[in-house]
Amino acid sequence: MRILHFSDFHLDKTPVNISKSQKLIDNMIQTIMPYHNERYIDLIIFTGDMVDVGGKSFDNIQQGFQTFKNLIITPLIKALNLDKERFIFCPGNHDVDRTQDNKFAELGLTEQLNNAKSLDEFYEDSKSSEVMRRILDFKKFENDYYKEFPSSFYEHSNFQSNFKVNIDDKLIGITALNTAWRCWDSNTDRGKILMCSRQISDSEPFLKDCDIKIAISHHSYTWMNNFEVLQLEKFITQDYDMYFCGHTHSNNAEYCIKPEGRTFKLVAPGIMIANNLEKNSQYKNGFSIIDYDLDNAFVETMLFFQNDVLQFIQDKNHGENGIWHIDIPIGEEQLQRKKIQEVIISIKEEVEYLNKHLLSYNADTKAPKTFNEIFVTPQLTIKKKTNQERSESQEFEEENISIDEIIKSDDNFIIFGIKESGKTILLDKLLLEVLNRNNGTETLPAVIRFGDIRNDIECCIRNYWHQKKTNSIQLIEQCKIILLIDDLDFSDNQRMEILISFINRHPNSRFIATCLETQKNDLVLDAYSCPEIDYKRIEINEFNSKQIKTLAQNWITENNNPETKAKK
């Protein structure tokens, strides 16, 4: 099937904006038609934000939705000769009317819905809840739009809605997930809003007979509160073949394989008149056309963006000559990538221990208690020897190096720092960044304390991954391994030999280690004094005034800032 995906229109009522919006959709249709004539577009997916800021420019939000239908939906389905049910949409944060809910009730929900159990209880009790009024106007528009179709095609609630469409003798099931029901402040929603995995599990009976299953939502599940992100990730990859979202106004596509299943994820850019003059290529107006071929096991995407004369053109830098082709893995390849993702998820589930390295973790304080809330990157400098001749007076030059550069490099690194300079915290940050960049790739991290090495590195890796010996050995042989080693000790010759032997036997592997120095720039502990293996020396520098200020701002939240309390 061929799918058109777009998102984030942010329709505004003013006459000049309506006129520009009309031109925008006309240009979009003009670009789409040659591709539609080549191979019919079977389905249109719109992932939220029909109107701007709750439709405040319209007389009421319903008028905004009806205008979107008349201006956008109807011309599209008419041009492509599609029935109404082939246009599927979900709510965005701009499609809710936040003025309908009481702010005190909102504060109460924010306080109470802080774990999976309370969220499930709320979901069960509140399918027609008084504290979900903000979403009811959107749901009314949705119900009116699909009211002509039988219950066998469409089921709905104030949370998710489900659809079935017959395409090319296959039954396609689609879940429109509601990630907007907790949206309150778009500037601070990330990490606070909720979906509830019950939206997915309650959809299973309706979709059980479908050949292909698609999930759509405005926000990616990664925008939800931390306590439900991993569970949502598991459920979506287990239950759906494709996952579409928007909100970020930038495009992205990836194919993810997890232990529970596999899914193709596509994030749509925005397409709004406010972006007509956008210069940053990442945020230009655009849309995607996706070909999903189940019989031949591949997915192809084409991305389109708006050029300087406001016409849409195909992004030829995407994939090969504008087409990104992904084979859906089958057989041994699929099993191998599944093992990789088992390791990644196992590490993610235990990553909470990173927060325990923070002084505030067990303290009776409102200071941030999660790693990413408080981390400030220190200045890191890499030492390069200018005089290669070994002598008592060695000369070095320094240059700054970023965390991104460390991760992307193929080099080994040793990070030197005095006691309590933040070496372990920095290693934690490197682990998080490696995990965040892993989307089905063949790079696996393993955290090891140097003093825990016994007979071989493989045993340490196996214990960290929680894998059987056969699986871990296979992954070590076939994947790129990044060893994150804490408290390396040059004087421990036995363990150094084990590390060096491992790196030499596995050329795809590398290490990033920390090492204690008694005083800053203690060149007695010089990375170049170990000739058996190549690695570069990094120095952790003391925080400058700007970094100290940033750290203080991260610690002093709005809730525990005396000045803020006084103002309140």
Side-chain angles (χ1 to χ4, degrees):
M1 59 181 168
R2 174 161 280 188
I3 301 171
L4 169 66
H5 179 208
F6 71 114
S7 189
D8 294 79
F9 207 88
H10 293 235
L11 187 62
D12 188 293
K13 181 187 178 181
T14 58
V16 63
N17 286 340
I18 291 292
S19 175
K20 289 181 178 179
S21 296
Q22 179 71 63
K23 180 65 175 175
L24 193 61
I25 200 67
D26 287 345
N27 288 344
M28 180 178 171
I29 291 172
Q30 183 180 2
T31 303
I32 290 169
M33 289 310 297
Y35 296 89
H36 177 63
N37 293 333
E38 170 193 77
R39 177 179 176 179
Y40 286 162
I41 291 173
D42 302 291
L43 187 66
I44 304 173
I45 291 176
F46 179 79
T47 45
D49 280 357
M50 295 182 177
V51 297
D52 193 44
V53 195
K56 71 174 186 178
S57 67
F58 294 91
D59 295 341
N60 55 67
I61 196 170
Q62 282 297 332
Q63 184 189 62
F65 293 146
Q66 289 299 326
T67 305
F68 181 86
K69 174 186 172 183
N70 296 334
L71 192 70
I72 312 303
I73 299 178
T74 301
L76 262 175
I77 61 176
K78 183 177 179 180
L80 301 179
N81 195 28
L82 294 174
D83 294 331
K84 283 177 65 177
E85 76 268 21
R86 296 296 183 92
F87 190 101
I88 307 293
F89 53 83
C90 65
N93 55 299
H94 284 264
D95 296 325
V96 301
D97 185 357
R98 281 162 268 199
T99 64
Q100 296 295 316
D101 284 325
N102 183 288
K103 69 176 181 179
F104 297 107
E106 169 66 21
L107 291 172
L109 280 181
T110 301
E111 182 73 22
Q112 293 297 318
L113 300 181
N114 57 10
N115 57 64
K117 182 180 178 181
S118 63
L119 182 56
D120 279 353
E121 291 174 351
F122 178 84
Y123 175 92
E124 188 64 35
D125 294 340
S126 61
K127 293 181 181 179
S128 59
S129 173
E130 287 296 306
V131 291
M132 289 184 65
R133 291 179 178 177
R134 73 193 76 174
I135 199 68
L136 297 183
D137 276 308
F138 177 88
K139 283 297 179 177
K140 180 181 184 304
F141 170 73
E142 177 197 296
N143 296 340
D144 288 343
Y145 183 85
Y146 295 110
K147 66 183 178 182
E148 300 172 9
F149 303 103
S151 58
S152 58
F153 162 79
Y154 170 55
E155 70 166 15
H156 60 87
S157 71
N158 286 341
F159 288 95
Q160 79 281 2
S161 296
N162 286 295
F163 309 85
K164 290 180 181 177
V165 181
N166 280 297
I167 298 176
D168 196 21
D169 296 326
K170 286 185 171 59
L171 188 59
I172 313 302
I174 306 157
T175 300
L177 297 163
N178 183 353
T179 61
W181 67 278
R182 291 294 300 128
C183 288
W184 189 258
D185 180 355
S186 297
N187 294 321
T188 60
D189 277 343
R190 183 163 193 172
K192 294 181 180 179
I193 56 177
L194 303 165
M195 182 189 299
C196 187
S197 61
R198 287 285 298 278
Q199 292 196 46
I200 300 173
S201 58
D202 281 8
S203 301
E204 290 177 4
F206 186 82
L207 302 178
K208 64 181 179 181
D209 58 341
C210 294
D211 298 294
I212 298 172
K213 298 175 185 178
I214 299 172
I216 73 172
S217 64
H218 182 61
H219 310 80
S220 167
Y221 62 81
T222 58
W223 276 63
M224 302 301 108
N225 195 297
N226 286 336
F227 73 76
E228 65 167 346
V229 169
L230 282 178
Q231 187 176 33
L232 292 173
E233 180 179 63
K234 289 181 180 180
F235 277 29
I236 287 174
T237 54
Q238 171 184 286
D239 289 0
Y240 297 98
D241 302 287
M242 308 181 77
Y243 176 51
F244 294 85
C245 53
H247 184 63
T248 59
H249 300 180
S250 61
N251 58 54
N252 184 38
E254 59 189 24
Y255 190 78
C256 302
I257 295 182
K258 306 294 182 183
E260 294 74 24
R262 60 198 183 197
T263 191
F264 176 75
K265 179 180 178 181
L266 193 79
V267 184
I271 179 167
M272 63 194 90
I273 59 170
N275 267 13
N276 275 347
L277 301 178
E278 177 61 53
K279 296 300 182 184
N280 188 333
S281 59
Q282 184 178 358
Y283 298 105
K284 283 181 175 291
N285 282 335
F287 58 88
S288 302
I289 294 176
I290 302 97
D291 291 329
Y292 188 92
D293 191 326
L294 179 62
D295 295 331
N296 295 301
F298 72 82
V299 182
E300 290 182 345
T301 67
M302 294 176 283
L303 302 182
F304 298 82
F305 68 92
Q306 199 175 36
N307 62 15
D308 292 338
V309 293
L310 306 187
Q311 299 295 319
F312 290 99
I313 60 173
Q314 188 176 356
D315 182 359
K316 293 295 185 178
N317 293 319
H318 175 72
E320 185 175 346
N321 197 31
I323 299 176
W324 183 49
H325 178 100
I326 288 290
D327 291 316
I328 300 174
I330 56 177
E332 288 300 319
E333 181 185 358
Q334 180 184 349
L335 292 174
Q336 173 70 4
R337 296 184 70 180
K338 183 175 180 180
K339 290 176 185 177
I340 293 172
Q341 289 305 318
E342 283 179 351
V343 172
I344 294 297
I345 287 182
S346 174
I347 297 172
K348 284 183 176 180
E349 287 178 340
E350 295 191 5
V351 83
E352 173 63 19
Y353 86 89
L354 299 183
N355 298 324
K356 296 180 181 180
H357 290 167
L358 300 175
L359 296 174
S360 62
Y361 186 81
N362 291 314
D364 185 16
T365 174
K366 291 185 178 180
K369 292 180 170 59
T370 61
F371 189 89
N372 279 325
E373 284 181 299
I374 198 170
F375 183 82
V376 176
T377 305
Q379 184 186 28
L380 304 173
T381 55
I382 185 166
K383 295 229 178 239
K384 293 185 176 181
K385 186 182 292 188
T386 57
N387 179 13
Q388 295 299 324
E389 296 295 329
R390 301 192 61 83
S391 65
E392 294 184 1
S393 59
Q394 297 177 1
E395 296 182 6
F396 292 85
E397 60 180 10
E398 293 184 355
E399 62 181 41
N400 292 336
I401 187 170
S402 66
I403 286 177
D404 185 63
E405 290 172 318
I406 295 172
I407 292 173
K408 288 181 178 179
S409 174
D410 292 326
D411 294 319
N412 302 309
F413 294 97
I414 295 182
I415 302 170
F416 288 82
I418 59 175
K419 186 176 177 61
E420 297 183 356
S421 60
K423 298 184 297 299
T424 300
I425 291 290
L426 179 58
L427 211 62
D428 293 343
K429 178 63 174 177
L430 289 166
L431 171 63
L432 286 176
E433 290 300 314
V434 172
L435 290 175
N436 289 339
R437 296 163 196 233
N438 191 304
N439 293 299
T441 63
E442 296 182 352
T443 299
L444 290 175
V447 178
I448 298 172
R449 283 195 74 258
F450 189 72
D452 291 339
I453 298 173
R454 293 294 180 260
N455 298 320
D456 57 57
I457 300 287
E458 287 85 350
C459 181
C460 297
I461 296 174
R462 183 168 70 250
N463 292 338
Y464 180 73
W465 286 349
H466 300 292
Q467 290 287 307
K468 294 179 181 179
K469 183 176 181 179
T470 303
N471 284 349
S472 62
I473 290 176
Q474 184 181 33
L475 290 173
I476 291 170
E477 292 292 339
Q478 297 179 0
C479 300
K480 294 180 179 179
I481 309 300
I482 299 181
L483 298 179
L484 301 171
I485 305 173
D486 203 12
D487 290 332
L488 183 142
D489 182 358
F490 279 106
S491 65
D492 190 333
N493 293 328
Q494 182 177 357
R495 290 188 172 93
M496 285 298 299
E497 288 177 3
I498 293 172
L499 171 61
I500 293 168
S501 174
F502 176 85
I503 295 297
N504 288 336
R505 284 185 286 110
H506 302 285
N508 285 335
S509 300
R510 67 188 185 100
F511 68 85
I512 304 170
T514 66
C515 185
L516 176 68
E517 56 184 357
T518 56
Q519 60 183 14
K520 185 173 172 56
N521 291 319
D522 183 0
L523 298 183
V524 173
L525 294 174
D526 180 11
Y528 295 95
S529 66
C530 187
E532 292 88 352
I533 192 168
D534 292 327
Y535 46 88
K536 296 182 178 180
R537 176 185 180 118
I538 294 176
E539 193 83 29
I540 298 181
N541 294 287
E542 295 178 357
F543 272 14
N544 57 34
S545 58
K546 182 179 179 180
Q547 291 165 324
I548 293 172
K549 182 179 179 181
T550 302
L551 184 62
Q553 289 173 338
N554 289 353
W555 272 83
I556 303 173
T557 63
E558 183 179 354
N559 290 332
N560 65 354
N561 187 340
E563 293 185 7
T564 303
K565 289 183 178 179
K567 290 178 182 178
K568 290 182 178 180

